[in-house]
Every structure is written in C-alpha cells, then in structure tokens.
Amino acid sequence: MANRSAITGRYINNAAAARHPRTSVSTSPSGNRSTATAHRSAITGRYVAPATAARHPKTTVTENR
C-alpha cells in the first residue's frame, strides 16, 4: 500500500505515515479507473463532500476514483 500526505499530496514512506497518522492516507491500487474526483478525509478515511474538503484542505486528499 502507498501512503500519501494530505498536506502536500506527495507519496510518503510507512515511517512518515506512522509519525503523522492524522494527515496521511493509505491508498491501495484499484481496478476501477473512473474519472470522477473524490475527496477523502485523512482523519476518518471516509469520502467527504467538496465543501468539506474546501474547509479542511490540510486533512483532506483529493483523488480520482
């Protein structure tokens, strides 16, 4: 699994993700290559609305589902 920083959007290693669990998101390769944009909370791991992502930019990751 790859880990991404919610603040920078860059991929980070497992040690960095363990040090910063509230601002990192674990991703797994998906077979579904949709072009829809989704926003996911780094804290809860749930998908959130675009308005929520705009209010919390440092703890939300924008990704293509």
Side-chain angles (χ1 to χ4, degrees):
M1 269 204 249
N3 300 303
R4 287 182 58 195
S5 169
I7 296 172
T8 63
R10 292 183 176 193
Y11 287 98
I12 57 176
N13 60 23
N14 291 334
R19 284 192 306 270
H20 307 285
R22 289 182 60 90
T23 58
S24 60
V25 177
S26 296
T27 59
S28 61
S30 174
N32 184 6
R33 296 289 186 214
S34 175
T35 58
T37 300
H39 307 282
R40 194 157 49 128
S41 170
I43 297 170
T44 64
R46 292 182 171 194
Y47 289 100
V48 296
T52 304
R55 284 193 308 271
H56 306 284
K58 291 195 175 198
T59 58
T60 309
V61 174
T62 302
E63 56 189 25
N64 288 333
R65 283 201 275 180

